[in-house]
Amino acid sequence: MAKHVVLAGAAGFLGSHLAHRLLLGGYQVTGLDNFHTGRVRNLSHSMDHEAFHFIGHDIREAYIGKCDAVMNFACPASPPDYQANGIGTLKVNFQGTLNLLGLAKSSQASFFQASTSEIYGDPEVHPQVETYRGMVNPIGPRACYDEGKRVAEALTFEYQRQHGLAVKVVRIFNTYGPHMRPDDGRVVSNFITQALRGENITIYGTGRQTRSFCYVDDLIEGIFRLFESGASVTGPMNIGNPVEFTIRELAELVIDVTGSKSTVINLPLPEDDPRQRCPDISFARQTLGWEPKTALREGIEKTVLYFDNILKQPENVQAA
């Protein structure tokens, strides 16, 4: 009988891709989502699958059920989304994670926590290794997410220590691709949406700050391999692309791929925005035999095609 996975955040950007990958891997999946940032259309490849079952649910409330594994991907991940209701974001990361850990404990199931590169804050170590403890402002405007994810990691490992729960934690770096929302406020979706609409492309700060961009298919394969790895592999483990680009280089690439006439303009840098972000993925390479394969241009081309289609749908067409 197929193993049963409860996947929280199943209708989100990453959760929806992961649901599809789990189904391809032979798992039975129960997807949970309250559609705060997720979308029904993201589940189009899963909804008709006989091994997929969807339940509308907010993980800040307890979920009762039985399963073999719990995977927590439920949390707003872009700054505008998680800052819009900082207390709600903190509750998702603390109470929501606690509820799902309780589900895993009662089911004698394993638990998989999606964490983030944001736990490193504005890093003083570069590239970031899993042993680096980060430089996070605990009272700044990004703290609801940064500290929320840090406490979610702490809860996860306390359940391992106190209850013997089998756990894994992945730290996800900047990811892009289909199923992103055009209005989610992330840099890739911002640039592509602005370019396709012929609007100014807004760079915050000088544009010299760096990020590493991982195409979603590569990221999901790394997460799936970590999920299926032996019980001794708990993480935290960085999954992301170790190739760095400046934000200005990304803007110029998007303009080139879209053929847009957009102009790049500079706006003030938001508070606590990190200057550089790049993963050391030695642990993932050695343990999982994983590394990303998709070049940035190739991934941006695929993402532009997706966004172009989404933006042409009636609800997204702006009035002239």
Side-chain angles (χ1 to χ4, degrees):
M1 185 175 178
K3 288 187 176 181
H4 178 202
V5 179
V6 170
L7 173 60
F13 167 41
L14 298 183
S16 57
H17 284 280
L18 180 57
H20 184 57
R21 182 66 181 87
L22 288 167
L23 293 169
L24 290 177
Y27 290 90
Q28 177 188 347
V29 179
T30 295
L32 309 179
D33 208 297
N34 67 349
F35 295 113
H36 178 60
T37 58
R39 294 293 182 267
V40 173
R41 65 171 176 249
N42 291 345
L43 292 170
S44 60
H45 294 297
S46 300
M47 279 297 197
D48 294 332
H49 198 291
E50 61 181 9
F52 183 77
H53 179 57
F54 181 80
I55 298 174
H57 184 78
D58 187 327
I59 64 166
R60 289 174 292 186
E61 302 294 332
Y63 174 77
I64 308 300
K66 289 291 182 182
C67 58
D68 300 296
V70 179
M71 303 187 79
N72 183 16
F73 280 72
C75 183
S78 71
D81 285 335
Y82 65 65
Q83 291 173 345
N85 181 1
I87 293 172
T89 299
L90 284 162
K91 286 182 177 179
V92 167
N93 280 303
F94 181 77
Q95 189 60 53
T97 302
L98 195 62
N99 286 336
L100 293 176
L101 282 162
L103 171 65
K105 180 174 177 282
S106 67
S107 295
Q108 296 183 314
S110 62
F111 183 79
F112 191 105
Q113 172 64 27
S115 190
T116 173
S117 62
E118 297 292 336
I119 66 102
Y120 297 121
D122 190 3
E124 301 163 298
V125 171
H126 192 76
Q128 290 80 64
V129 293
E130 289 89 351
T131 53
Y132 175 54
R133 295 180 181 179
M135 188 177 74
V136 174
N137 178 0
I139 60 171
R142 301 170 72 102
C144 58
Y145 185 69
D146 301 358
E147 297 290 12
K149 286 293 188 179
R150 286 163 74 97
V151 79
E153 287 195 16
L155 281 168
T156 298
F157 284 103
E158 283 303 326
Y159 263 73
Q160 180 195 45
R161 281 187 284 268
Q162 294 188 35
H163 302 297
L165 198 68
V167 304
K168 296 180 186 292
V169 173
V170 61
R171 289 177 178 164
I172 298 167
F173 281 69
N174 290 65
T175 306
Y176 69 99
H179 297 188
M180 296 180 83
R181 294 188 352 257
D183 63 346
D184 70 4
R186 302 186 219 208
V187 64
V188 172
S189 46
N190 279 354
F191 286 1
I192 293 177
T193 300
Q194 289 166 343
L196 289 174
R197 288 175 169 164
E199 300 169 354
N200 290 331
I201 290 184
T202 51
I203 287 180
Y204 295 98
T206 63
R208 296 192 188 96
Q209 63 269 41
T210 66
R211 297 292 185 272
S212 58
F213 300 100
C214 189
Y215 188 64
V216 64
D217 290 355
D218 291 335
L219 182 99
I220 293 300
E221 181 59 28
I223 288 172
F224 185 76
R225 291 189 192 187
L226 177 58
F227 174 66
E228 290 207 318
S229 64
S232 63
V233 184
T234 62
M237 179 182 286
N238 292 337
I239 298 288
N241 194 324
V243 180
E244 255 180 301
F245 292 87
T246 67
I247 297 299
R248 181 165 287 277
E249 286 174 326
L250 175 66
E252 291 169 351
L253 175 60
V254 168
I255 289 172
D256 185 45
V257 169
T258 58
S260 175
K261 303 297 184 184
S262 296
T263 299
V264 174
I265 62 171
N266 295 82
L267 296 176
L269 193 67
E271 185 178 350
D272 295 332
D273 192 65
R275 294 160 294 176
Q276 51 186 189
R277 185 65 61 69
C278 182
D280 183 314
I281 61 168
S282 302
F283 186 26
R285 281 190 174 118
Q286 294 164 5
T287 307
L288 308 178
W290 174 88
E291 61 183 351
K293 299 178 180 178
T294 307
L296 184 59
R297 174 174 281 273
E298 178 189 352
I300 291 295
E301 288 172 350
K302 292 178 180 179
T303 309
V304 165
L305 288 175
Y306 174 80
F307 271 55
D308 191 39
N309 179 59
I310 290 295
L311 291 173
K312 287 176 180 175
Q313 294 179 11
E315 66 270 22
N316 292 314
V317 175
Q318 291 185 330

